[in-house]
Amino acid sequence: MRKGLPNLENNENKNYRIIAVDDEEGIVDSLSIFLKRSGYDFIGVTNPEEAIERVKTEHFDLMVLDFIMTPIHGDQVVEEIRKFNQELYILLLTGHKDLAPPLDTIRRLDIQGYCEKSDKFDQLLLLIESGIKSISQMREIKKINTELEDTYEKLEKAYLESIETLRYTVEAKDTYTRGHSDRVSAFSVLIGKAVGLSDKDLRTLQVGGLFHDVGKIGVPDIILQKESKLTDDEYSEIKNHPSIGGHILSTASIFKDIIPIVKHHHERYDGRGYPSMLKGEDTPYLARIAAIADSFDAMTSRRTYRDSLPIETVISEFERCKGTQFDPELTDIFLDILQNHFDKIKEIQEKYK
């Protein structure tokens, strides 16, 4: 075995693809001999612009790149590649250390290493071996992350299905809740879009709305199904459902973002709500949105003891309760929806009758 060469029997190297770019054909040929004998899948290119195009359309793990070339220099090649590929491991070759690009340029372009050209490739081969080890570690990390994401998604799906089962059980106990959670979810998202929430917060509102009444699983059927007015003791039982729901969901970390909605959607802006009597902005923002959606659906749904309220009455109630029961800014936004975009409300009501 020739001095300076790595183990030629390393079959692992064939799993790594290297591209070398140098406008001196002799350098490319020499690298081809060394790297192919080392077992690497090697491609040599003498035209830097061609190299850019190949990196666009083919997969390479590592690039060995000359700095001074025509028609463009190595730093310009990297500049173009980094516009569409941030992962390619790049080693820069220089004819002389004084001709190397500034350190700031090397850092900015995320060039992993550079060395001077030499008749011997010992230093370069060591850098390549080091680079391949880094690439191997990154592959392993990506694999682990993919497996973890897959496991997390399966776990999340299992938990969601479990809670969904609880939700359907609640709906079987309380006919009012049937369709109510879907509408609260959709109304909440409608308000969330109007205030410009992020996709992540909209997703939290959606799921939080679906599960906001899951705590009713712990309320006796006789109270949920009672057609006449509730006694004070019975109403106290009903008021426990936000805390029960929060407790149920606290067993799984994936629900941590929706627990504030579930637990606090019955708080009031004036601090007279339940279960925590939070006041003003102490109530989580998404819970304040859900509170408006929940109350609107309660007003516009038919109950055993009353018919649904006319929209004019509902609007008057929100105007009356602005700043006391409901967040005033959110109330104004929802009133605008009711008065100017009621078609969106009707669409939701029709969908989840």
Side-chain angles (χ1 to χ4, degrees), residues 51-53 55-56 60-65 74-92 105-113 135:
I52 295 170
E53 293 305 311
V55 172
K56 276 184 181 178
F60 295 98
D61 296 292
L62 185 146
M63 171 179 277
V64 179
L65 177 68
D75 57 340
Q76 294 170 286
V77 172
V78 182
E79 189 93 51
E80 289 302 310
I81 288 174
R82 288 305 186 218
K83 290 177 182 178
F84 60 87
N85 187 323
Q86 298 294 322
E87 296 183 357
L88 182 62
Y89 198 99
I90 298 178
L91 300 175
L92 196 66
T105 300
I106 290 173
R107 286 174 175 164
R108 178 175 61 84
L109 298 177
D110 196 22
I111 296 171
Q112 280 78 11
I135 294 164

Side-chain angles (χ1 to χ4, degrees), residues 9 23 33 44 84 126 128 155 157 160 165 211 217 236 290 312 320 322 326 332 337 345:
E9 303 301 322
D23 57 359
I33 293 170
F84 60 87
L126 287 173
I128 290 172
L155 184 63
K157 185 173 182 288
L160 285 171
T165 300
F211 296 144
I217 193 73
S236 294
E312 295 79 11
R320 182 179 68 83
K322 183 174 72 171
F326 306 115
D332 283 338
I337 293 173
I345 296 288

